[in-house]
């Protein structure tokens, strides 16, 4: 090391103290960052823990003696944050979507086929990655004075649109760089401000240690590493988070809210160059056969990775192709999660419990002797409906095979019968009356379920309230089972709209409600008024109207009044709405009680409007005929684009045809166009017309 850089020499030259302490601090920081990177990102330390601690202690001492030298991104500051009061909600730069799932080679083949169809002539190659079983986060970096970047915020996925600012907890995770040098940015070709998205996981060793600790303290054990990681990230005390040893693996890089143009493989390389931990098990694959090979290899490694994975993620590599494929409501069409097949275990059926859902549906649940399946302890499993129990011939006391598949909810797959596992003996009789209100239950001809049809059944209101407050619906945090139970028991709520007239005095009167929590709940309820028409529609609980349909209806009609006034025909003009859904909507709004509910929500100030999607009409009145193979668009895509802009397409050329769009190997239609003097354009010409149409 060069001249006068240690504390001792600094002390012997009093005139130089500030200067030397500053440069030594800088040097120590750089050194510590390098060792953090080697240790936590590359798993390849070059110094011992004791040596690392010595460097850290030296830096801490200098910073204590010269507080003015302390910087927020100093390695000593990972646990600098004070315990948080709660987490600020933050809107994501672009939605954090989820992934569609595939469970078999056939489903992968279907997906691959669809991708290739939609991609037209754009390149189709895939990047295969492990599907880490944790939770996703967005890490925001901003420009630092030294030309580098510094961590500005870490945000959980939340509902995909709005997450929670857990920055002080994220800072404690050693594989997340607090700062990135100008040099690294340059090497990676990344500007000073960017966003990394990735998965937070709790490594297996940390999970085991956590549960050992909890067991010693007589606390309930965490069920799996994912839950433990999620709970940890929402802990209000950063020093606890620091002890839990979470890890973050990056998989997306966004610059100004856009994915990297160079594609997914290049994204992972750029993240690596920036110093993020990127999962080393990744590969470029070109076919379903290669995907399956990667999946097989991943399953083989699964037990020895040291962290949980629940499948493999396949992403179309090219960003141009990704853009072409686009998104469905909640997931990109250009990626899919292949989930490992269900894990099974054998256990005994102790009893069958019946619960009543929002629509009055009776659902049977198996009560099981607790058993460990696929990483969690299972003591309940769904039995779907009465039909399922009858068909299976299930008896209480039976030994059953329990499966955890792609869903979190375990299933009873089959009855096991052998010398060790004799059949049960007790027949289960399905209740003829509702377990909640005692009214007679009915089974509609041809339906698998029994229903309680008592409109005043307390279970219906309870489930409706829970649904209304759900994160994906009106997103009222704090409106969980316990609170809803209390509201009902105390007669404070008789229908959903009553939520909006609750007062602080009413809540504070309830058990477990302090002034602060009462105010928080009322704040959440107030905030939900702005959730918008789509969420309100979901919240009303109209049969078959889920997230996507609600969204499309909201965009089409813009207000609840317009929707309520719509005819079946008008409703069915909405994409994905057929007679089944339109009937359900009409029936719902035909009921006076439901109309009253809508009115009360309106009176309470709940926003029931949405931005109407502007239909383009620029190509209105024009008819196009497509012929031959276009260079990038498939026939269906071209058709879709024309129709979206208000134009029509036809199969044959006539005098009424406005344009013929001709590609390679165009045949007789082209001749006909020339004969009738119909203008002929190519794909570029069509795209230019469309561009004009959308601007
Ligand atoms: S890509 C479009 N890549 O899986 C957003 N996700 O089931 C998809 N996950 O929410 C994210 N490993 O939390 C991606 N290599 C990986 C992943 C991964 C785990 C999680 C992620 C996502 C969930 C979707």
């Amino acid at each position: 090391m060069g001249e006068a850089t240690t504390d001792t020499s600094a002390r012997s030259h009093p005139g130089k103290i500030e200067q030397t302490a500053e440069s030594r601090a800088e040097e120590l920081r750089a050194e510590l960052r390098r060792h953090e990177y080697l240790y936590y990102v590359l798993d390849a330390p070059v110094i011992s823990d004791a040596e690392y601690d010595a460097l850290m202690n030296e830096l801490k001492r200098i910073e204590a003696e010269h507080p003015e030298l302390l910087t927020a991104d100093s390695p000593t500051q990972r646990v600098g944050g004070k315990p948080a009061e709660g987490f600020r909600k933050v809107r994501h730069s672009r939605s954090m979507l989820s992934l569609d799932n595939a469970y078999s080679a056939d489903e992968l083949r279907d997906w691959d086929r669809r991708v290739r169809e939609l991609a037209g002539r754009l390149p189709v190659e895939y990047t295969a990655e492990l599907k880490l079983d944790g939770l996703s986060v967005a890490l925001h970096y901003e420009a630092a004075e030294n030309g580098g970047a510094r961590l500005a915020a870490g945000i959980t996925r939340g509902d995909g649109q709005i997450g929670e600012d857990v920055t002080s907890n994220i800072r404690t995770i050693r594989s997340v760089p607090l700062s990135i040098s100008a040099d690294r940015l340059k090497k990676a070709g990344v500007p000073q401000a960017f966003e990394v998205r990735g998965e937070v996981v709790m490594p297996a060793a940390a999970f085991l240690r956590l549960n050992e600790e909890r067991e010693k303290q007589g606390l309930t054990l965490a069920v799996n590493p994912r839950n433990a990681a999620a709970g940890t990230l929402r802990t209000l005390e950063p020093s606890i988070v620091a002890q839990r040893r979470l890890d973050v693996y990056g998989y997306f890089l966004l610059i100004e809210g856009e994915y990297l143009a160079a594609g997914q493989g290049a994204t992972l390389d750029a993240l690596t160059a920036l110093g993020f931990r990127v999962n080393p098990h990744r590969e470029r694959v070109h076919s379903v056969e290669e995907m399956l090979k990667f999946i097989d290899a991943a399953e083989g490694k699964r037990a020895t990775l040291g962290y949980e994975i629940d499948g493999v993620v396949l992403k179309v590599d090219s960003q141009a192709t990704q853009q072409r494929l686009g998104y469905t409501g909640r997931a990109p069409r250009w990626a899919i999660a292949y989930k490992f097949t269900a894990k099974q275990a054998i256990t005994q059926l102790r009893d069958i419990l019946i619960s009543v859902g929002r629509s009055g549906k009776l659902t049977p649940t198996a009560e099981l002797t607790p058993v460990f399946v696929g990483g969690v302890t299972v003591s309940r499993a769904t039995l779907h409906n009465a039909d399922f129990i009858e068909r299976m011939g299930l008896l209480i006391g039976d030994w059953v095979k329990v499966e955890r598949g792609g869903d979190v909810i375990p299933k009873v797959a089959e009855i096991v019968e052998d010398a060790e596992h004799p059949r049960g003996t007790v027949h289960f009789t399905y209740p003829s009356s509702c377990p909640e209100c005692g009214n007679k239950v009915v089974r509609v001809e041809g339906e698998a379920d029994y229903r309680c049809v008592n409109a005043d059944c307390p279970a219906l209101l309870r489930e409706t309230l829970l649904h209304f407050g759900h994160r994906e619906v009106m997103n009222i945090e704090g409106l969980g089972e316990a609170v809803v139970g209390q509201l009902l028991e105390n007669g404070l709520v008789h229908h959903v709209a009553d939520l909006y007239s609750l007062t602080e005095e009413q809540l504070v009167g309830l058990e477990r409600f302090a002034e602060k929590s009462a105010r928080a709940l009322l704040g959440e309820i107030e905030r939900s008024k702005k959730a918008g028409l789509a969420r309100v529609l979901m919240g009303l609980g109209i049969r078959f109207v889920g997230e996507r349909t609600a969204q499309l209806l909201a965009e089409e009609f813009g207000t609840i009044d317009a929707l309520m006034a719509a005819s079946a025909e008008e409703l069915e003009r909405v994409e994905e709405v057929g007679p089944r859904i339109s009937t359900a909507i009409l029936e719902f709004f035909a009921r006076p009680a439901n109309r009253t509910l809508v009115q009360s929500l309106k009176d309470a100030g709940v926003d029931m409007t949405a931005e109407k999607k502007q239909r383009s009409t620029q190509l209105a009145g024009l008819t196009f005929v497509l012929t031959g193979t276009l260079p990038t668009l498939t026939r269906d895509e071209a058709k879709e684009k024309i129709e979206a802009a208000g134009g029509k397409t036809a199969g044959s050329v006539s005098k009424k045809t406005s344009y013929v769009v001709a590609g390679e190997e165009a045949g007789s239609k082209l001749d006909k166009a020339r004969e009738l003097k119909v203008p002929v354009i190519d794909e570029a010409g069509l795209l230019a017309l469309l561009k004009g149409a959308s601007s």
Side-chain angles (χ1 to χ4, degrees):
M1 234 164 264
E3 18 129 61
T5 47
T6 63
D7 262 7
T8 5
S9 54
R11 259 177 233 121
S12 58
H13 299 281
K16 280 176 138 188
I17 285 182
E18 290 311 298
Q19 176 59 35
T20 319
E22 184 176 359
S23 68
R24 178 62 181 155
E26 228 358 274
E27 192 173 84
L28 282 167
R29 277 182 206 131
E31 217 20 37
L32 283 162
R33 277 182 198 128
R34 189 169 77 86
H35 291 303
E36 280 189 343
Y37 176 71
L38 288 167
Y39 186 98
Y40 294 106
V41 177
L42 300 185
D43 285 330
V46 294
I47 57 173
S48 70
D49 287 2
E51 285 168 304
Y52 177 86
D53 290 344
L55 292 173
M56 182 66 98
N57 288 335
E58 186 185 346
L59 179 59
K60 276 188 187 155
R61 204 176 59 233
I62 297 180
E63 288 176 344
E65 282 169 13
H66 307 278
E68 72 282 3
L69 295 182
L70 188 60
T71 59
D73 62 359
S74 168
T76 58
Q77 296 305 297
R78 289 210 177 258
V79 199
K82 288 199 197 74
E85 293 251 311
F87 300 111
R88 197 168 56 96
K89 301 225 153 122
V90 188
R91 182 168 285 281
H92 290 298
S93 63
R94 73 186 284 155
S95 331
M96 289 186 83
L97 299 175
S98 87
L99 290 170
D100 285 333
N101 294 323
Y103 295 97
S104 64
D106 278 345
E107 285 178 30
L108 275 185
R109 282 197 189 93
D110 285 346
W111 176 68
D112 173 63
R113 201 173 308 126
R114 227 167 27 243
V115 166
R116 289 180 193 278
E117 261 169 36
L118 293 172
R121 300 194 157 189
L122 292 174
V124 176
E125 285 184 333
Y126 301 97
T127 296
E129 298 168 26
L130 298 184
K131 186 168 188 313
L132 304 163
D133 199 7
L135 57 148
S136 42
V137 279
L139 309 175
H140 292 255
Y141 284 81
E142 62 184 17
E145 298 71 28
N146 63 3
R150 82 161 78 79
L151 177 69
I155 304 164
T156 61
R157 176 174 184 274
D159 66 1
Q161 309 296 329
I162 296 177
E164 287 180 320
D165 181 340
V166 291
T167 313
S168 47
N169 288 342
I170 292 289
R171 293 173 66 85
T172 70
I173 303 176
R174 304 297 206 283
S175 47
V176 173
L178 297 179
S179 64
I180 295 173
S181 68
D183 201 36
R184 271 191 185 270
L185 290 177
K186 199 163 146 224
K187 278 199 191 115
V190 172
Q192 282 179 283
F194 58 89
E195 179 181 343
V196 171
R197 290 187 175 176
E199 198 80 352
V200 182
V201 300
M202 182 177 282
F207 177 69
L208 288 177
R209 205 176 49 224
L210 170 68
N211 267 351
E212 273 168 24
E213 277 301 312
R214 293 186 68 90
E215 185 151 34
K216 267 190 226 148
Q217 295 169 9
L219 298 169
T220 51
L221 302 189
V223 284
N224 59 36
R226 177 168 27 82
N227 285 3
T232 302
L233 216 51
R234 300 197 75 253
T235 303
L236 294 171
E237 176 58 79
S239 65
I240 294 185
V241 184
Q243 292 161 14
R244 301 269 174 91
R245 298 286 175 219
L246 298 176
D247 241 330
V248 173
Y249 289 88
Y251 49 67
F252 283 144
L253 179 57
L254 281 86
I255 294 166
E256 289 179 358
E258 294 296 328
Y259 292 120
L260 225 57
Q264 181 60 17
T267 294
L268 299 178
D269 292 341
L271 288 172
T272 310
L274 288 174
F276 287 90
R277 194 183 250 275
V278 174
N279 199 281
H281 306 288
R282 60 180 205 247
E283 222 167 85
R284 179 69 59 86
V285 295
H286 306 85
S287 64
V288 175
E289 297 323 308
E290 288 182 12
M291 293 179 197
L292 294 171
K293 236 191 233 160
F294 183 87
I295 290 167
D296 253 6
E299 277 206 273
K301 289 183 212 133
R302 192 173 182 186
T304 53
L305 286 170
Y307 47 84
E308 290 266 338
I309 59 171
D310 58 344
V312 161
V313 182
L314 296 146
K315 299 175 186 167
V316 169
D317 194 80
S318 145
Q319 199 226 11
T321 314
Q322 289 180 4
Q323 280 181 346
R324 162 69 67 76
L325 290 163
Y327 298 81
T328 60
R330 48 168 61 227
R333 288 202 188 84
W334 46 264
I336 201 160
Y338 178 94
K339 294 288 202 73
F340 294 142
T341 36
K343 302 177 192 177
Q344 300 181 326
I346 293 172
T347 187
Q348 199 170 21
L349 178 69
R350 287 178 170 175
D351 202 356
I352 294 176
L353 309 171
I354 303 286
S355 59
V356 187
R358 183 156 53 90
S359 60
K361 189 175 126 179
L362 267 55
T363 306
T365 304
E367 198 186 46
L368 306 161
T369 305
V371 62
F372 203 63
V373 194
V376 303
T377 303
V378 167
S379 53
R380 291 193 172 181
T382 178
L383 292 169
H384 308 288
N385 50 48
D387 225 30
F388 182 84
I389 299 175
E390 283 163 24
R391 259 187 289 127
M392 203 182 234
L394 205 57
L395 301 173
I396 292 170
D398 272 344
W399 290 90
V400 291
K401 199 174 266 178
V402 190
E403 240 180 45
R404 280 189 70 227
D407 325 311
V408 201
I409 304 169
K411 294 186 182 86
V412 170
E414 62 185 38
I415 298 170
V416 180
E417 188 182 8
D418 55 34
E420 277 170 66
H421 304 104
R423 289 295 309 264
T425 47
V426 183
H427 274 274
F428 175 73
T429 17
Y430 223 76
S432 54
S433 57
C434 171
E436 301 250 2
C437 70
N439 268 36
K440 230 173 113 58
V441 295
V442 298
R443 188 181 208 175
V444 180
E445 262 307 300
E447 274 197 21
D449 303 307
Y450 283 93
R451 279 174 198 284
C452 170
V453 289
N454 170 16
D456 297 322
C457 174
L460 268 55
L461 179 55
R462 183 189 62 228
E463 297 301 317
T464 303
L465 285 168
L466 286 170
H467 168 75
F468 193 78
H470 193 274
R471 197 170 72 169
E472 286 176 7
V473 186
M474 299 298 273
N475 193 13
I476 305 176
E477 197 178 316
L479 194 66
E481 293 211 11
V483 170
V484 166
Q486 276 181 304
L487 295 177
L488 294 177
E489 272 162 39
N490 291 280
L492 295 181
V493 174
H494 300 98
H495 55 78
V496 171
D498 286 346
L499 287 174
Y500 293 99
S501 45
L502 286 173
T503 63
E504 198 174 313
E505 295 76 61
Q506 285 176 321
L507 293 180
V508 171
L510 304 178
E511 212 179 304
R512 271 183 300 171
F513 260 105
E515 220 166 86
K516 196 169 155 196
S517 44
R519 231 174 272 155
L521 180 60
L522 291 177
E524 284 286 313
I525 293 175
E526 184 62 30
R527 204 174 55 86
S528 76
K529 289 182 181 171
K530 297 205 179 61
L533 182 57
R535 284 173 180 257
V536 174
L537 286 178
M538 265 203 286
L540 291 175
I542 308 169
R543 266 188 107 185
F544 312 126
V545 177
E547 185 178 2
R548 181 156 166 81
T549 310
Q551 185 68 42
L552 293 171
L553 286 166
E555 280 172 3
E556 174 71 26
F557 292 99
T559 66
I560 190 107
D561 296 316
L563 175 67
M564 285 166 72
S567 65
E569 200 188 3
E570 284 162 337
L571 290 169
E572 285 167 34
R573 251 181 245 153
V574 175
E575 199 189 326
E576 292 183 18
V577 175
R580 187 180 69 133
I581 302 184
S582 70
T583 309
I585 297 171
L586 290 172
E587 277 178 7
F588 183 89
F589 289 119
R591 292 222 184 102
N594 292 334
R595 299 185 83 92
T596 311
L597 172 62
V598 169
Q599 190 56 47
S600 322
L601 289 172
K602 234 194 245 174
D603 294 343
V606 175
D607 175 19
M608 301 212 208
T609 62
E611 206 152 298
K612 254 179 113 161
K613 206 170 206 161
Q614 287 303 320
R615 279 262 176 79
S616 170
T617 52
Q618 299 246 350
L619 297 190
L622 300 182
T623 304
F624 294 77
V625 173
L626 298 160
T627 175
T629 315
L630 300 178
T632 74
L633 294 173
T634 65
R635 188 72 66 95
D636 282 345
E637 282 165 358
K639 191 165 170 238
E640 221 171 80
K641 282 187 190 284
I642 292 169
E643 286 169 0
K648 281 202 190 111
T649 55
S652 60
V653 183
S654 74
K655 275 192 205 151
K656 287 189 194 145
T657 310
S658 319
Y659 292 97
V660 168
V661 185
E664 241 174 76
E665 287 169 37
S668 60
K669 289 181 194 168
L670 189 54
D671 301 336
K672 185 86 190 241
R674 294 205 174 113
E675 191 188 313
L676 295 176
K677 300 212 162 54
V678 172
V680 177
I681 56 175
D682 58 5
E683 183 184 281
L686 172 65
L687 292 175
L689 278 178
L690 286 164
K691 209 159 175 210
S694 66
S695 64

